């Protein structure tokens, strides 16, 4: 079978899913434009700021994508490319898109607040506190890891650093001019065309003007940038940078598809399915934890209910941004799989061990893009730069999200100091940055990273649990949410249980304890959710 055929079939399935299942899910969540969105009712020019659907989609997609839909699927091909493709398509449509749109919808109906606050409203204050502690810890871990990855990338490839700095300056200029332009459609289109042209020019210019700094200085500079990005108005930096950066990824996807059609490579990898792997473990539950972004990712719930819901101009925009954004990411995950299944299983295994997933993706996809008439070095560099740009997007979005979770945690604490942290974005962001620096100095994130996949999917299960409780209390049939929820709890609890036991046997007691605590956290929130639904369960039973 040719790779072109796989891309066509996948694209058709995803488009049909958006057209039919997306409309069904949208209606089930009760979204409509009868009431103004939180971006209007709570508009503050800092976090709550209505914007055009295409701009919000750019921010949302740039934030949720990152390197996730590239790294996870490529590693998961170890078990076989067929199960990877099936999980991406089934997971993206029936799990991830429902999860993302549900997180966005419940936030829109709760004044743009995050999943943590929705848990407080639906399950109780204890549930909120447990969830926020978990999500805050996860976000700090992500900030630390991505700061390290980006700093090392900038040190090894100073041209990427230069291009990234130019992107930031361009985004600020774009944001300023866009605010002057206002809602004039033609002017916005012209501004977008000019911005995208300059962005691609800066790819070339950045490579010609490398900017060299020491690793530690880059770490401090990146966290300083993340601080500024978190406290400045979204329309000044976050929205325009993510909007313009999204065209990098759109461009890469289009170039990849065209490159596949021109080169028309056949799938060389066998159809063999591997049940277990010495390093990864068994296909269940590892496959469903390894492929997170691209199928379903708990991090998406923090973005959807954290930054995105505060920028939607109207509720109906949530379908294209939430449901549509997830399916675009699923297609990117299919492309990631396609970049490596043109190799034999032996070639794939050897190169994955030697190069790593990002490099393997860049060289594989770059080779196909080069058939369009550009040099292979430029094509590979363009793909690598795109991945790096989205890692930077994840960094500043995570910082803002961590600030939100910290503020929402302390808003229920009456002490003056707690209220000061809850209401002052500069102080709360400063706390986030300090925690990130301490984590980086300790180096603990390198030890904790192996369980991040399980923690991320647990976050997805908890978000689905929250959405299900919200729907059930509204007397809405939540079966389309509870089925994915139970599956994700099964996957994550099995994964955490196996991880805890393996590390206990290996005498790595710290990791075993962390995995056990996450396991207990999930069970505790399920118990709290069940208690909160006592009335809804008892009433139908009495009627019988």
């Amino acid at each position: 079978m040719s790779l072109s055929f796989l891309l066509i079939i996948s694209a058709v399935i995803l488009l049909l899913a958006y057209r039919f299942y997306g409309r069904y899910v949208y209606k089930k969540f009760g979204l409509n434009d009868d009431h103004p969105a939180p971006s209007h009712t709570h508009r503050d020019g800092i976090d709550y700021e209505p914007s055009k659907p295409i701009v919000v989609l750019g921010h949302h997609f740039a934030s949720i994508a990152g390197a996730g839909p590239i790294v996870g699927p490529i590693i998961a091909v170890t078990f076989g490319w067929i199960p990877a493709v099936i999980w991406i398509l089934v997971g993206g449509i029936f799990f991830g898109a429902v999860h993302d749109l549900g997180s966005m919808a419940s936030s829109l109906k709760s004044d743009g607040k995050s999943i943590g606050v929705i848990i407080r409203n639906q399950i109780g204050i204890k549930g909120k506190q447990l969830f926020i502690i978990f999500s805050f810890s996860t976000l700090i871990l992500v900030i630390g890891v991505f700061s390290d990855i980006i700093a090392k990338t900038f040190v090894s490839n100073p041209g990427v650093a230069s291009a990234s700095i130019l992107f930031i300056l361009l985004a600020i200029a774009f944001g300023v001019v866009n605010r002057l332009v206002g809602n004039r459609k033609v002017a916005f289109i012209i501004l977008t065309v000019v911005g995208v042209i300059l962005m691609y020019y800066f790819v070339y210019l950045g490579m010609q003007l490398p900017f060299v700094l020491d690793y530690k200085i880059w770490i401090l500079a990146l966290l300083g940038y993340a601080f500024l990005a978190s406290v400045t108005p979204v329309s000044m930096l976050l929205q325009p940078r993510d909007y313009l950066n999204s065209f990098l990824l759109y461009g890469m996807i289009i170039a990849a598809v065209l490159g596949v059609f021109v080169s028309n490579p056949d799938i060389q990898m066998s159809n063999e399915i591997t049940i277990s792997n010495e390093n990864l473990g068994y296909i269940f539950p590892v496959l469903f934890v390894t492929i997170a972004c691209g199928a379903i990712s708990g991090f998406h719930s923090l973005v959807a209910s954290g930054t995105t819901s505060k920028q939607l101009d109207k509720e109906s925009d949530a379908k294209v941004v939430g449901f549509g954004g997830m399916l675009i990411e699923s297609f990117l995950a299919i492309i990631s799989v396609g970049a490596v299944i043109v190799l034999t299983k032996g070639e794939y295994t050897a190169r994955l061990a030697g190069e790593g997933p990002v490099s393997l993706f860049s060289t594989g996809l770059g080779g196909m893009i080069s058939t369009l008439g550009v040099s292979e070095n430029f094509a590979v560099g363009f793909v690598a730069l795109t991945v790096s740009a989205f890692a930077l997007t994840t960094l500043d979005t995570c910082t803002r999200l961590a600030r939100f979770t910290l503020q929402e945690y302390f808003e229920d604490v009456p002490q003056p100091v707690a209220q000061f942290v809850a209401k002052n974005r500069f102080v709360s962001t400063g706390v986030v940055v300090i925690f990130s620096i301490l984590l980086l100095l300790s180096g603990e994130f390198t030890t904790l990273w192996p369980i991040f996949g399980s923690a991320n999917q647990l976050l997805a299960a908890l978000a689905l649990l929250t959405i299900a409780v919200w729907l059930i209390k509204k007397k809405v049939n939540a079966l389309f949410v509870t089925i994915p929820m139970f599956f994700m709890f099964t996957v994550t609890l099995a994964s955490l249980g196996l991880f805890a036991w393996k590390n206990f046997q290996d005498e790595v007691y710290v990791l075993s304890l962390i995995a056990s605590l996450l396991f207990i956290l999930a069970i505790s929130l399920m118990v709290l959710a069940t208690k909160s639904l006592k009335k809804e369960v008892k009433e139908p039973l009495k009627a019988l």
Side-chain angles (χ1 to χ4, degrees):
M1 183 171 71
S2 71
L3 182 57
S4 302
F5 182 71
L6 175 63
L7 292 186
I8 292 171
I9 291 297
S10 300
V12 169
I13 290 173
L14 293 171
L15 286 170
L16 290 175
Y18 177 78
R19 174 70 176 83
F20 296 103
Y21 193 58
R23 181 170 59 183
Y24 168 79
V25 173
Y26 172 81
K27 290 182 177 178
K28 291 288 286 185
F29 285 131
L31 294 170
N32 55 66
D33 294 334
D34 293 343
H35 301 94
S39 62
H40 292 283
T41 57
H42 293 74
R43 188 170 187 171
D44 60 7
I46 304 297
D47 300 315
Y48 290 84
E49 183 69 24
S51 193
K52 302 173 183 66
I54 190 171
V55 175
V56 184
L57 176 62
H59 156 71
H60 182 74
F61 185 50
S63 299
I64 66 172
I70 295 169
V71 174
I74 288 178
I75 294 175
V77 169
T78 299
F79 295 108
W81 69 270
I82 292 178
V85 168
I86 291 174
W87 171 234
I88 289 168
L89 293 176
V90 173
I93 295 167
F94 297 103
F95 290 68
V98 171
H99 166 274
D100 290 14
L101 182 56
S103 300
M104 205 173 291
S106 58
S107 179
L108 284 169
K109 299 296 187 180
S110 304
D111 296 325
K113 295 295 186 179
S114 74
I115 288 292
V117 174
I118 298 166
I119 287 178
R120 181 195 64 192
N121 297 339
Q122 304 299 327
I123 298 176
I125 187 67
K126 289 183 180 179
K128 174 199 170 183
Q129 290 172 338
L130 287 173
F131 182 84
I132 285 184
I133 290 171
F134 171 67
S135 59
F136 180 79
S137 303
T138 303
L139 288 167
I140 294 296
L141 174 63
V142 175
I143 293 168
V145 170
F146 274 79
S147 297
D148 176 72
I149 291 172
I150 298 166
K152 288 177 178 175
T153 301
F154 285 178
V155 170
S156 61
N157 196 334
V160 173
S162 302
S164 299
I165 293 170
L166 291 171
F167 285 170
I168 292 171
L169 297 176
L170 174 64
I172 294 172
F174 184 96
V176 171
V177 175
N178 186 45
R179 294 181 78 167
L180 295 174
V181 168
N183 292 321
R184 284 174 283 185
K185 189 174 182 179
V186 175
F188 179 75
I189 293 173
I190 295 173
L191 180 62
T192 297
V193 172
V194 172
V196 171
I197 291 172
L198 285 174
M199 180 185 64
Y200 278 103
Y201 172 68
F202 287 161
V203 174
Y204 167 78
L205 185 61
M207 297 302 179
Q208 308 305 311
L209 301 170
F211 190 67
V212 181
L213 286 177
D214 181 71
Y215 169 81
K216 290 183 178 179
I217 296 177
W218 272 126
I219 287 291
L220 295 175
L222 287 168
L223 290 174
Y225 160 76
F227 178 91
L228 293 174
S230 174
V231 299
T232 54
V234 289
S235 60
M236 181 179 292
L237 180 58
L238 190 73
Q239 282 181 348
R241 195 178 76 78
D242 291 354
Y243 174 62
L244 289 175
N245 268 357
S246 67
F247 284 95
L248 265 180
L249 194 51
Y250 298 151
M252 187 189 75
I253 291 175
I254 293 170
V257 172
L258 293 175
V260 168
F261 287 145
V262 171
S263 59
N264 196 28
D266 288 327
I267 296 174
Q268 300 295 326
M269 193 172 290
S270 67
N271 296 334
E272 179 185 359
I273 297 175
T274 303
I275 300 300
S276 65
N277 177 271
E278 183 180 350
N279 296 320
L280 297 176
Y282 290 95
I283 190 171
F284 183 91
V286 176
L287 174 71
F288 307 97
V289 171
T290 304
I291 301 180
C293 293
I296 179 172
S297 168
F299 174 68
H300 293 194
S301 69
L302 301 182
V303 177
S305 67
T307 55
T308 305
S309 62
K310 296 175 176 64
Q311 300 174 52
L312 292 172
D313 183 49
K314 52 187 184 297
E315 289 186 358
S316 57
D317 293 342
K319 181 187 174 186
V320 65
V321 176
F323 204 94
M326 180 64 234
L327 297 189
I328 295 173
E329 188 183 72
S330 295
F331 189 67
L332 175 59
I334 294 292
I335 291 176
S336 301
V337 172
V340 297
I341 60 177
V342 293
L343 305 171
T344 65
K345 191 62 176 286
E347 290 173 327
Y348 157 79
T349 303
R351 291 184 61 183
L352 181 64
E355 300 177 26
V358 174
S359 178
L360 189 56
F361 173 78
S362 300
T363 53
L365 206 58
M368 297 178 200
I369 293 174
S370 67
T371 60
L372 300 178
V374 299
S375 70
E376 186 167 348
N377 285 337
F378 176 82
V380 172
F382 169 65
V383 174
L385 177 63
T386 302
V387 176
S388 298
F390 279 85
L392 192 59
T393 296
T394 303
L395 174 64
D396 59 36
T397 299
C398 278
T399 306
R400 188 176 287 258
L401 291 172
R403 189 250 291 178
F404 286 158
T405 58
L406 191 67
Q407 288 179 302
E408 290 176 351
Y409 181 88
F410 283 113
E411 68 183 11
D412 292 323
V413 181
Q415 280 76 13
V417 175
Q419 288 299 304
F420 180 68
V421 174
K423 295 176 181 178
N424 192 305
R425 68 182 188 276
F426 297 96
V427 173
S428 53
T429 304
V431 173
V432 171
V433 171
I434 289 171
F435 268 103
S436 302
I437 291 174
L438 292 174
L439 181 64
L440 282 163
L441 291 175
S442 69
E444 285 300 315
F445 64 92
T446 57
T447 306
L448 296 175
W449 185 250
I451 65 170
F452 177 69
S454 298
N456 183 50
Q457 298 302 67
L458 175 58
L459 197 61
L462 295 174
L464 287 170
L465 173 65
T466 306
I467 297 164
V469 172
W470 172 64
L471 289 175
I472 291 170
K473 288 190 173 183
K474 290 177 60 178
K475 311 299 182 185
V476 176
N477 187 336
L479 197 62
F480 72 106
V481 175
T482 54
I483 291 175
M485 178 197 76
F486 282 120
F487 180 81
M488 293 311 300
F489 268 118
T490 302
V491 165
T492 53
L493 293 178
S495 177
L496 288 169
L498 291 171
F499 191 86
W501 177 243
K502 181 180 182 301
N503 280 276
F504 181 80
Q505 289 181 312
D506 295 339
E507 298 183 356
V508 186
Y509 298 119
V510 173
L511 290 183
S512 179
L513 177 62
I514 292 172
S516 300
L517 290 174
L518 290 175
F519 189 98
I520 294 169
L521 168 66
I523 298 298
S524 300
L525 278 168
M526 290 178 72
V527 171
L528 289 173
T530 303
K531 288 182 178 179
S532 74
L533 288 174
K534 273 186 177 180
K535 181 180 178 182
E536 282 73 12
V537 172
K538 284 181 178 179
E539 287 180 353
L541 291 176
K542 286 181 180 179
L544 292 174

